[in-house]
Amino acid sequence: MKGIEVLCLFLLLVRSIASGSHDVYIVAIEGDPVVSYEGNIEGLPATATDTVEEMDFHSDIVRAYSIHLENKHNEILDSVLLEGSYTKLYTYRHLINGFAIHMNPLQAETLRRAPGVKYVERDTKIRKLTTHTPQFLGLSTEVWPTGGGFDRAGEDIVIGFVDSGIYPKHPSFSTYNTEPYGPLPKFKGKCEADPETRRSYCNGKIVGAQHFAKAAIAAGAFNPAIDFASPLDGDGHGSHTAAIAAGNNGVPVRLHGHEFGKASGMAPRARIAVYKVLYRLFGGYVSDVVAAIEQAVEDGVDILNLSVGPNSPPSATRTTFLNPFDAALLSAVKAGVFVAQAAGNGGPFPKTLVSFSPWIITVAAGVDDRRYKNQLILGNGIDIPGLGVSPATHGNKTMNLVSASDVLIGSSVVKYNPLDCQRPELLNKNKVEGNILLCGYSFNFVSGTASIKKVSETAKSLGAAGFVVAVENNYPGIKFDPVPVSIPGIVVTEISKTKELIDYYNCSTKRDWAGRAISFEATASIANGLAPTLYNSAPQVAIFSSRGPDVKDFSFQDADVLKPDILAPGNLIWAAWAPNGTDEANYVGEGFAMISGTSMAAPHISGIAALLKQKNPKWSPAAIKSALMTTATTLDKGGRPLKAQEYSGQEILTLASATPFDYGSGAVNPKAAVDPGLVFDASHADYIKFLCSVPGIDRYEVRNITGVPCTTTYLHPADLNIPSVAVSHLKGTRIIKRTVTNVGSETETYKITSHMSPEVALEVGPPAFTILPGQSRDVTITLTARSVTDTYSYGEVLMKGDRGHKVRIPVVAMGFGS
């Protein structure tokens, strides 16, 4: 060992001893996991299979090889680490070969140098990426009837949710009013019992319920008093996503005595398997997530929904596609599991995606056609627009406006911000009663220590006729959502309108010599905001939805993969909520919530994918992804090109023409996806070939993380057979091949057209082809840089069949000359 290495290890030892610090690490060991093992060890037959149908994680062969791997793990640990000085948290055998371990940095360095160890990576955190949509998407009229109706939509398909758990008593998950569910011979999920009642979390609709927190506990982040050491949802997020994808059909959404319609999942008859990895205060850890994904695939889920993602691109590997999380997902896809992941909520800024890999579908969030708006009518005849899902003031009569700043009592108010109207004891009830309470909007609402729900409770307890929350300052990135409340209430979000309101109030309020209010003469009424307005300009890309380009490494260099892949509803989505959930202060104690995020968009795709899987059980995950993408639309309900919400220079919401970096292939079209005509399929070997083609890739790293060597490569990563084309550095001419397969039941002739913005020339051949059912044909896409640009050019390839099928793939390229 070199002197400098000895010194480094000594310093590391001193530091770890001094601090007593332990961290969680993910360790990969030489040898294939179950999904990839080809049988090269005497006495242990191969566990990898040619078809997904043959994969059986519970067979004696798999069990024997799994024991072999675990024994190898223990041998390595016993040979280099002192017994009792570390804690092994998880054993990974099915999707990746390795384990998660709690140890100090010196032990990590020692283990990193041990024979048989491929890599040691410190664990990182993951986070959440946080009705009417079945009708908006056409499921209830155009898709469910073709599969036997809503009471058969998703039958016998299992969707796994790696999230914050579930609230099993919710009517969206009950079995009281449904036809009994039959057995699922292929699904082997486990059901934990409630620690207090000893009752199972499963009921036939929920077929699996487990929680994973060993890494969180080892890291000292887990608090059993509030985080629930069970699958119970202490957050609300997990119940919401599960209900969007697979909640029961026709569940009344009731809040504050008003019904906001009937909620339904995309695949209301699908089963739910819960893998809890997210907790209230800290989110979760990758090693817990990988364990959950391993378990879900072993159990036999068909679809995996991930409304979670990393905080940033992985820094320990040279490319975003190579890390334990994405490697586990790659193996899950090899095992036949379709994976949908939320794109992230970093929009509208570019390169904010937290979902990178081409083997999964990355979902952006759209705004659907339903908007809640309201208005405040002032006594001087001015109408002030705002947000407020509330009833109108009594009889639409005008009431006096009373500002919280003019009705303060007591000297203790300096400890709080009384204008937030969060503490009724700070305000004079005699002056508020019967009037409309005027409150301010401080940073406390942004940080979550104040809520509109609490304003409503304060106003109600003081006997107010209603309330107004007026926003006087813009906070960067703030997004205002309408909040259902039980009394008349409205939030005025436009600063210029707030100024009009405050000017009117001040001019109409009489004060004494000290500035104290003695007479409130400003009047107003609040309109009825309970009914939504429907717009033909939907869908739009939501302001918060993360945007591309995809990045290939931690230095944010562009990748030759188009992300996101698809757009689905993710704004103001009504769905089930856990009454004890704390994720949204405005919905504490409620059974339903209307919230936004790409977290809500992903389960829309997971549920629709379940419908496709039900109709086409032999389709691969790549075929399902292709069907969703090639049939997506780039037009809104009014037939106009999709728009994306953006910020102007003054942080004002505006609309701009959307691009594939906003929406991928476009907005999901379930009716067309069920019968796509052609699909672009890809295998596990194709994905490995893609990884080996990434410029600057460390092939040793590919072998270490995937367990598969780089024996062949594409000429360029863009050659991977996916339903989109992205070239980040186009020099001269590049020829890209795509292979389409006819999944229809009839022979069809397709004509191909294409177009591209002028900086890049796009040609496609052949101009037409006829393809038999089950047959595959190659299509050649030729891109030529016409000029050097620092921006992308956008185009598309469109294949129109004579039987009505339309297959569209987006093309993006940046020209760098010859």
Side-chain angles (χ1 to χ4, degrees), residues 202-222:
C202 295
N203 60 4
K205 172 73 170 178
I206 303 171
V207 292
Q210 302 171 65
H211 83 287
F212 300 80
K214 290 180 181 178
I217 293 169
F222 188 87

Side-chain angles (χ1 to χ4, degrees), residues 76 132 211 238 454 459 491 527 529 540 587 614 630 715 736 781 792:
I76 291 173
H132 166 73
H211 83 287
K454 187 61 180 176
V491 181
Q540 297 169 356
Y587 294 100
Q614 179 189 16
T630 60
L715 290 176
I736 296 168
I781 299 169
Y792 278 89

Side-chain angles (χ1 to χ4, degrees), residues 601-654:
H604 279 89
I605 295 299
S606 295
I608 296 168
L611 302 178
L612 270 62
K613 180 76 173 179
Q614 179 189 16
K615 186 172 182 180
N616 307 282
K618 294 190 180 301
W619 277 11
S620 68
I624 295 174
K625 176 183 174 182
S626 175
L628 290 164
M629 290 177 63
T630 60
T631 57
T633 178
T634 57
L635 302 176
D636 66 19
K637 288 184 67 177
R640 296 173 295 268
L642 291 176
K643 297 286 187 179
Q645 295 181 345
E646 302 282 357
Y647 284 129
S648 70
Q650 293 77 37
E651 291 280 328
I652 296 173
L653 196 67
T654 59

Side-chain angles (χ1 to χ4, degrees), residues 407-439:
V407 294
L408 301 179
I409 57 175
S411 58
S412 63
V413 298
V414 293
K415 295 181 181 178
Y416 312 100
N417 188 334
L419 298 186
D420 285 351
C421 298
Q422 302 294 293
R423 300 175 63 85
E425 68 272 19
L426 303 181
L427 305 177
N428 189 327
K429 182 175 182 178
N430 293 331
K431 293 183 178 181
V432 174
E433 194 167 13
N435 298 317
I436 296 175
L437 179 62
L438 178 58
C439 308

Side-chain angles (χ1 to χ4, degrees), residues 23-29 89-90 92 96-103 108 111-112 117-124 215 285-291 323-325 328:
D23 287 308
V24 177
Y25 295 83
I26 298 176
V27 181
I29 302 300
L89 305 176
Y90 295 110
Y92 305 130
I96 61 175
N97 176 22
F99 49 85
I101 181 173
H102 191 227
M103 59 184 173
L111 194 56
R112 189 175 282 116
V117 173
K118 295 197 294 188
Y119 70 85
V120 177
E121 183 174 314
R122 193 159 67 92
D123 199 5
T124 55
Y285 288 83
V286 169
S287 53
D288 287 330
V289 174
V290 172
N323 58 81
F325 180 79

Side-chain angles (χ1 to χ4, degrees), residues 51 56 67 107 164 317 390 399 438 451 477 594 656 676 707 745 796:
T51 64
D56 181 4
I67 293 171
Q107 291 174 311
S164 68
T317 55
S390 78
M399 281 82 174
L438 178 58
S451 68
M594 179 176 60
S745 58
E796 68 175 18

Side-chain angles (χ1 to χ4, degrees), residues 5 513 541:
E5 291 177 331
W513 62 271
V541 181

Side-chain angles (χ1 to χ4, degrees), residues 33 79 146 209 212 290 338 348 368 372 397 502 650 711:
S79 68
T146 66
F212 300 80
V290 172
F338 174 87
D368 66 18
Y372 286 97
K397 294 179 182 178
I502 300 301
Q650 293 77 37
T711 55

